Amino acid sequence: MKNWKKKAAGLLLTLTGSLFLFGCSAKEKQNTATLYQKGLEIVEKMDLTAECGDYISLVSSSLELNDLIDDIAEKDYTKPDTVYQVTIKEEAVKEILSLAAEENLQIPEEILPAVYRRLVSSVPNILNAAEGSAALAVTSILTADTDFLYKDLTDYTIYLYLYQDAYSAVVVFSPMEDGIVRATGSFLVGDQLLWNFTPEEIMEVLEENGYFTGCEVQKIEIEQK
């Protein structure tokens, strides 16, 4: 569907990692570059899934869903217009726990990390659900994930890849045991998060659609060569 130049550009970005991050320390640059690149690889994997007609024919016979998937597949995701990093700090975790206590929910302490991980990972589903069942079904079909070793990540972190001329994407990074991080990505259907949103507008959308009051939103200034 797309010409070879798009694929070459994506491969070149992966191989060279030509990322220039401003306004942070060398360690922060390395951390941000790692998460940025891992997330972009997830987005490219979702795009590849949308382009795979044989896979789509196996999981969907709906013309409505397939038309939306075809539209997603036609876009170029190699270079997002805007990228935001959203960090969910410990205070937000405590707020979730206090909310559960107020509602008298009996959640065993042993499974609370998994419960919270699922809450954070539900962000794209919450946003897509507002667009209707077709949007939720399509984005579920195209979801991609991967696990990788990255001991430096201690907070749940969300990367928002926002495009002016393509569907935006959300990648959630969840720290697991033994330094393993799980990255899960979904496309966004609709205009809940636009490429030209300010950090304050991003924060407002997240707070309106979830429990993430007080999360940190940082615009990632990345120059790609």
Side-chain angles (χ1 to χ4, degrees):
M1 294 181 180
K2 307 182 186 71
N3 60 37
W4 63 270
K5 291 183 178 179
K6 172 190 170 183
K7 298 302 180 185
L11 178 60
L12 181 62
L13 178 59
T14 300
L15 292 177
T16 62
S18 299
L19 306 177
F20 296 86
L21 303 130
F22 305 99
C24 55
S25 67
K27 184 65 173 179
E28 289 171 332
K29 289 180 183 180
Q30 179 183 355
N31 293 345
T32 303
T34 298
L35 294 181
Y36 170 86
Q37 187 59 47
K38 287 291 184 182
L40 195 58
E41 290 170 6
I42 290 287
V43 176
E44 287 289 316
K45 184 186 294 186
M46 295 190 298
D47 180 28
L48 183 62
T49 302
E51 294 176 359
C52 182
D54 288 342
Y55 166 71
I56 300 305
S57 66
L58 285 175
V59 298
S60 172
S61 59
S62 167
L63 292 178
E64 180 185 7
L65 301 188
N66 292 351
D67 285 345
L68 180 53
I69 291 172
D70 287 343
D71 193 46
I72 291 173
E74 288 290 343
K75 310 302 183 184
D76 187 340
Y77 299 95
T78 55
K79 185 177 180 180
D81 292 283
T82 312
V83 179
Y84 280 103
Q85 175 182 289
V86 182
T87 304
I88 314 298
K89 288 294 188 179
E90 184 178 351
E91 290 75 13
V93 180
K94 292 179 180 179
E95 184 173 343
I96 294 290
L97 300 183
S98 63
L99 176 63
E102 289 175 5
E103 296 184 358
N104 296 317
L105 297 178
Q106 300 300 316
I107 302 177
E109 185 175 350
E110 293 80 3
I111 69 170
L112 279 175
V115 170
Y116 185 67
R117 183 168 63 248
R118 288 167 185 163
L119 284 172
V120 176
S121 298
S122 70
V123 168
N125 290 338
I126 293 172
L127 295 173
N128 282 316
E131 299 297 319
S133 59
L136 193 57
V138 164
T139 52
S140 296
I141 289 172
L142 302 180
T143 295
D145 58 40
T146 190
D147 292 347
F148 60 98
L149 183 64
Y150 190 61
K151 296 181 179 179
D152 290 333
L153 188 69
T154 57
D155 296 316
Y156 290 96
T157 303
I158 299 172
Y159 265 60
L160 306 175
Y161 297 84
L162 307 181
Y163 299 84
Q164 183 175 6
D165 298 316
Y167 291 84
S168 293
V170 178
V171 179
V172 178
F173 295 95
S174 302
M176 311 281 281
E177 295 181 350
D178 302 320
I180 299 298
V181 172
R182 175 163 298 165
T184 305
S186 296
F187 283 116
L188 292 179
V189 176
D191 57 359
Q192 308 97 324
L193 296 174
L194 299 178
W195 69 275
N196 56 355
F197 271 13
T198 65
E200 292 75 20
E201 289 171 317
I202 296 292
M203 175 82 78
E204 182 178 351
V205 171
L206 293 177
E207 291 183 349
E208 286 178 351
N209 289 277
Y211 301 106
F212 307 113
T213 300
C215 58
E216 297 180 3
V217 179
Q218 175 189 1
K219 186 176 181 179
I220 304 301
E221 300 291 348
I222 299 176
E223 179 181 336
Q224 302 171 0
K225 290 188 176 180

